[in-house]
Amino acid sequence: MADTEGRDVRANQALLEVRNLRVEFPTRRGTLVAVDDISFHIDPGEVLGVVGESGAGKSMTGAAIIGLLEPPGRIGGGEILLEGERIDNLPYERMRRIRGRRIGAIFQDPLTSLNPLYTVARQLIETIQTHLSLPEKAARARAIDLLKEVGIPSAEERIDHYPHQFSGGMRQQVVIALALSAEPRLVIADEPTTALDVSIQAQIISLLKRLCKEHGTAVMLVTHDMGVIAETADRVAVMYAGRIAEVGPVEEVVRRGKHPYTHGLMGSIPHIGGEITELTQIEGAMPRLNAIPSGCAFHPRCERVFARCSVDRPELLSVDGAEVACHLYDDAGREAAD
Amino acid sequence: MSETAHIPDVARTPGKATALVEAQGLMRHFDVSPPLLNRVIEGKGRAVVKAVDGIDFAIPRGETFSLVGESGCGKSTVARLIVGLYQPTAGNIRYEGVEIGGRANARNRQRMQPRMQMIFQDPYASLNPRWRVERIVAEPIQARRLLTDRQAVRTRVGELLTQVGLSPADGEKFPHEFSGGQRQRVSIARALAGEPEFLVCDEPTSALDVSVQAQILNLMKTLQRKLGLTYLFISHDLAVVYHVSTMVGVMYLGRLVEWAETKTLFDNPRHPYTRMLLDAIPDLEMSGRQRIPVAGEVPSPINPPPGCPFHPRCPHAQDRCRVEPPKAIAAGGAQVACHAVEEGRI
Ligand SMILES: Nc1ncnc2c1ncn2[C@@H]1O[C@H](COP(=O)(O)OP(=O)(O)OP(=O)(O)O)[C@@H](O)[C@H]1O
Ligand SMILES: Nc1ncnc2c1ncn2[C@@H]1O[C@H](COP(=O)(O)OP(=O)(O)OP(=O)(O)O)[C@@H](O)[C@H]1O
Ligand code: SF4
Ligand SMILES: [Mg+2]
Ligand SMILES: [Mg+2]
């Protein structure tokens, strides 16, 4: 099999591969590390969910992949491969063409992706025409179809409105339509459904899943909504303080999470029904980037901390089908804990 | 409105002394017509979005009233009307019984305004990018002259930042140096800084991960208990709504279709739309329960369907539903606007 540019595409090649990625912010008082040596991959047709505390580095990881880290933020090490090709060191123009065409991005903040001065029609049609050679009329028809697919009512009329005339959730729907307009191979979706109600959410999720199934699109889905993760993701990565704490199949992580942080996270989810009590919260706050604790970054908040945790940094280890970075799962560690 | 049945229904007893905030026949329409020239050339008519189309509610002091409903149903517009960012097209808003809606009541509004604060759905747009966080959070303290001594203001800002899970040292940073969820926490700290008695929260925790969300929701509840705060709360996360609210109102196309005490609404939803909404909740247990998306297309608020606006998607719709808008009636402790409920069909 060969793709349009004649490169070999191995059947079992990951669509996206991230190796030892580091994202840093140089400041006057030293370098802050927002993403610290993380590696993961996403296969064609697969949805990788990314969860973790606010500030854990989820958005920075996504921004690094699409080449949109805002200076002074920069990639400080590692490699990013899209369909086997390195994309982290490409010149701006080449990356710009990949973005939109081969990678579609849905940002956490819908306003940054929409120009307030142009109608939604103009923005969608322009994007479609940049990446697919379609005449204006066909591009408009496609734009309207996309808006319908993401669930905008009266799309024919609404398309000629300006972003500020849409509700918060509807703007997000427009951004999703923009990201999908050129049929990308990889979709980076940063909190795509956060602003959306449950029924539109269901619609967007089934649209994403259909893309994966029918076109082999790979999706990196960043969200804090565990319901969405449970329903959409094939695998989940849990991030904490710039590192991956745990990664594995969705049932393993959501139902039988191994890392103590994963436990805390699952415990804080509110449920409908039953007595209304205080929600469980993980005590303490995520460390600031200039004061990441030694050893395991989670140790000051961990209920099962033991001596080794504050000294050694845990690496990912295979445990029952998932990978976990926690000394409790290392033989030597377990003995020490007992 | 029909017979007065149960007590929980504060919405039906406007003017009751306990209500801190009341809306009556509240309406806001937006003109979204194409420019006149296009209308003439393309033969298009005027277009009006009926974002909020006549709603009533009352929030008793010290309680939390939540609005839920699909994207674009008008929740944020209600919030903006209440805090005075939009002028109502029609209807009244009262605060402690004082009329504050509309330009005619601008003086009353000015008097009451400092007592309320809003947390916006979009934390990016609502923080001044050129101000340091410390100045952003200190602003309401200074505006209300709650503290004058500079050192005292600093200390207070530090306390507020700590309360929302940031650190006092974060005060030196600019908004762009924060992640999405951290920015939302800054806007929560700012809202609390003004020591409001009434807080409008538009999706306050949507940008937050679950553990920070739990911290913020617990904090909001503690403040309510200690200081008697009153909240108007908007969220699409029904589990969150279940945890924070005393009363819940379900909106559909600019109207309230059902409202009731939280437990009543979740245990025994009456309106067909409320039932669909509850069925569409994502399933965390992965029990294999089929999540049922709300059927049918969301109709447009530009051309809302006649009769009951929900009838094109409703499994119980009959002829009457297609012509006559249903009025809210008391049904099993809830207020429900549905012909099928009124006729005892469901
Ligand atoms: N311009 C900047 N200068 C310094 N630090 C920054 C800058 N931008 C982001 N950061 C820091 O980088 C870290 C990672 O941010 P990121 O946006 O990736 O978090 P996130 O996991 O997406 O969180 P959220 O769930 O809140 O969106 C945060 O601690 C943030 O404070
Ligand atoms: N300034 C405006 N001009 C024109 N139309 C507007 C304006 N503000 C809101 N609308 C329209 O009014 C309707 C209600 O919008 P609103 O923002 O209140 O929805 P919402 O319930 O908050 O939705 P979401 O859950 O997506 O935030 C939408 O159809 C929206 O497009
Ligand atoms: S009034 Fe009729 S259409 Fe509307 S919800 Fe009730 S049964 Fe359905
Ligand atoms: Mg983020
Ligand atoms: Mg809104």
Side-chain angles (χ1 to χ4, degrees):
Chain A
M1 211 168 56
D3 73 5
T4 42
E5 282 160 47
R7 272 178 286 103
D8 241 10
V9 180
R10 273 172 291 127
N12 58 355
Q13 183 181 54
L15 199 131
L16 174 76
E17 184 149 3
V18 172
R19 292 184 193 147
N20 308 102
L21 178 68
R22 183 181 158 96
V23 174
E24 52 189 30
F25 292 92
T27 69
R28 266 178 297 139
R29 273 161 287 162
T31 301
L32 302 179
V33 183
V35 174
D36 191 4
D37 190 22
I38 69 169
S39 305
F40 62 90
H41 69 274
I42 313 179
D43 287 329
E46 188 181 48
V47 179
L48 176 74
V50 180
V51 299
E53 195 140 330
S54 184
K58 307 179 297 291
S59 296
M60 291 301 145
T61 306
I65 294 169
I66 47 183
L68 282 182
L69 275 176
E70 274 195 38
R74 63 172 188 219
I75 296 184
E79 294 180 350
I80 300 167
L81 294 94
L82 179 69
E83 295 178 306
E85 176 198 7
R86 255 188 97 165
I87 57 166
D88 54 292
N89 52 4
L90 294 181
Y92 183 80
E93 245 330 282
R94 287 234 11 231
M95 195 55 204
R96 201 182 61 85
R97 259 175 291 145
I98 289 181
R99 205 159 45 226
R101 183 68 190 95
R102 287 167 64 198
I103 309 181
I106 303 167
F107 294 103
Q108 194 168 3
D109 170 13
L111 288 180
T112 54
S113 336
L114 295 174
N115 186 329
L117 301 178
Y118 298 148
T119 62
V120 164
R122 173 156 176 197
Q123 303 184 48
L124 271 170
I125 292 169
E126 245 168 43
T127 312
I128 292 172
Q129 287 189 316
T130 316
H131 299 295
L132 312 171
S133 47
L134 281 180
E136 168 108 22
K137 241 184 133 176
R140 186 180 165 89
R142 181 166 162 76
I144 292 175
D145 282 346
L146 276 164
L147 288 181
K148 284 187 184 155
E149 265 193 291
V150 296
I152 301 260
S154 297
E156 291 89 347
E157 251 166 278
R158 278 294 166 113
I159 192 169
D160 291 312
H161 291 168
Y162 291 87
H164 78 269
Q165 295 177 311
F166 286 79
S167 79
M170 290 158 81
R171 262 178 241 157
Q172 188 64 323
Q173 287 165 266
V174 172
V175 171
I176 295 170
L178 260 178
L180 303 181
S181 59
E183 296 173 355
R185 302 288 300 132
L186 171 69
V187 176
I188 307 277
D190 195 352
E191 307 277 7
T193 60
T194 308
L196 304 177
D197 60 88
V198 281
S199 56
I200 301 280
Q201 200 182 61
Q203 191 169 348
I204 303 282
I205 286 170
S206 66
L207 176 64
L208 284 178
K209 285 187 110 163
R210 205 173 71 229
L211 284 173
C212 292
K213 210 150 113 208
E214 291 173 8
H215 303 284
T217 310
V219 179
M220 173 172 152
L221 177 68
V222 178
T223 175
H224 67 265
D225 189 327
M226 293 297 170
V228 169
I229 290 278
E231 216 168 36
T232 326
D234 300 298
R235 283 185 306 129
V236 192
V238 180
M239 284 187 75
Y240 188 80
R243 309 261 301 158
I244 293 181
E246 175 160 3
V247 54
V250 65
E251 325 75 71
E252 280 301 319
V253 177
V254 174
R255 307 192 95 159
R256 288 179 292 277
K258 292 176 186 65
H259 198 286
Y261 174 63
T262 313
H263 280 288
L265 211 53
M266 298 302 157
S268 340
I269 302 170
H271 290 275
I272 292 178
E275 240 355 79
I276 298 169
T277 50
E278 288 257 297
L279 292 164
T280 326
Q281 56 186 59
I282 309 175
E283 287 311 320
M286 228 205 32
R288 291 153 51 78
L289 293 185
N290 63 3
I292 303 236
S294 59
C296 170
F298 187 60
H299 87 255
R301 300 173 74 187
C302 184
E303 286 178 349
R304 304 182 60 190
V305 58
F306 59 100
R308 189 177 164 196
C309 303
S310 55
V311 196
D312 270 355
R313 189 166 90 167
E315 300 295 331
L316 285 172
L317 291 171
S318 288
V319 185
D320 303 336
E323 287 177 83
V324 188
C326 168
H327 292 311
L328 286 170
Y329 295 93
D330 169 333
D331 287 334
R334 241 185 316 253
E335 276 156 35
D338 289 340
Chain B
M1 255 175 242
S2 67
E3 81 280 333
T4 327
H6 291 303
I7 308 141
D9 172 31
V10 282
R12 250 178 319 123
T13 47
K16 220 167 88 178
T18 49
L20 182 68
V21 184
E22 281 170 77
Q24 241 179 16
L26 193 59
M27 223 179 255
R28 170 68 209 216
H29 295 177
F30 293 103
D31 189 341
V32 291
S33 313
L36 180 63
L37 190 64
N38 297 57
R39 290 214 304 274
V40 176
I41 297 171
E42 296 161 28
K44 282 186 184 161
R46 281 203 161 275
V48 173
V49 174
K50 297 180 176 167
V52 176
D53 203 20
I55 70 171
D56 305 85
F57 61 81
I59 316 175
R61 193 183 282 277
E63 300 204 358
T64 304
F65 179 58
S66 292
L67 286 176
V68 301
E70 270 164 326
S71 198
C73 72
K75 305 178 297 292
S76 297
T77 307
V78 171
R80 289 168 165 265
L81 284 165
I82 299 287
V83 297
L85 289 170
Y86 286 151
Q87 294 296 333
T89 307
N92 300 325
I93 304 166
R94 279 199 213 94
Y95 193 87
E96 258 183 5
V98 178
E99 187 74 50
I100 55 165
R103 291 188 209 286
N105 300 306
R107 289 189 74 120
N108 290 346
R109 161 69 68 185
Q110 228 173 17
R111 192 151 53 83
M112 297 302 183
Q113 197 67 28
R115 294 164 61 181
M116 50 181 101
Q117 285 284 341
M118 175 158 173
I119 299 168
F120 290 89
Q121 184 166 13
D122 184 352
Y124 298 85
S126 61
L127 299 178
N128 186 336
R130 277 182 290 276
W131 284 12
R132 289 185 198 276
V133 160
E134 176 162 338
R135 182 163 170 209
I136 294 176
V137 178
E139 202 260 346
I141 302 177
Q142 282 152 345
R144 289 195 69 184
R145 298 200 185 81
L146 296 170
L147 292 170
T148 42
D149 177 56
R150 278 191 54 185
Q151 195 47 47
V153 172
R154 278 210 109 148
T155 313
R156 178 74 185 130
V157 169
E159 267 170 33
L160 286 160
L161 290 175
T162 312
Q163 268 187 332
V164 296
L166 296 171
S167 100
D170 286 322
E172 291 162 33
K173 295 193 196 162
F174 289 98
H176 75 265
E177 293 176 62
F178 289 93
S179 76
Q182 291 165 339
R183 266 181 258 195
Q184 184 63 304
R185 284 187 262 176
V186 172
S187 63
I188 294 170
R190 177 185 57 182
L192 295 176
E195 295 178 13
E197 58 180 15
F198 176 54
L199 206 51
V200 176
C201 314
D202 192 357
E203 306 274 8
T205 59
S206 299
L208 305 178
D209 62 276
V210 284
S211 65
V212 179
Q213 169 173 285
Q215 276 172 13
I216 299 283
L217 296 179
N218 288 341
L219 171 68
M220 286 179 61
K221 280 193 146 182
T222 310
L223 291 173
Q224 183 164 53
R225 232 180 6 249
K226 280 199 199 140
L227 309 172
L229 299 192
T230 309
Y231 299 116
L232 172 63
F233 192 90
I234 296 173
S235 174
H236 67 267
D237 186 331
L238 294 167
V240 167
V241 166
Y242 180 84
H243 271 267
V244 300
S245 329
T246 22
M247 298 236 328
V248 181
V250 181
M251 278 185 80
Y252 189 78
L253 277 188
R255 300 193 201 163
L256 274 174
V257 297
E258 175 165 6
W259 62 99
E261 279 194 340
T262 309
K263 270 217 128 272
T264 313
L265 189 105
F266 280 89
D267 288 349
N268 191 10
R270 301 300 298 258
H271 196 283
Y273 176 63
T274 312
R275 293 182 177 187
M276 278 194 185
L277 209 57
L278 295 183
D279 280 338
I281 298 171
D283 178 15
L284 187 64
E285 306 306 321
M286 295 197 290
S287 58
R289 166 174 76 86
Q290 202 47 42
R291 169 174 173 185
I292 310 159
V294 178
E297 201 184 321
V298 189
S300 159
I302 300 180
N303 295 305
C308 168
F310 189 58
H311 85 252
R313 303 165 76 183
C314 180
H316 305 283
Q318 290 184 353
D319 288 345
R320 185 179 171 204
C321 306
R322 292 182 252 282
V323 285
E324 184 191 331
K327 292 202 174 57
I329 56 150
Q335 288 287 308
V336 188
C338 166
H339 294 310
V341 171
E342 190 202 279
E343 292 160 13
R345 287 194 278 123
I346 50 174

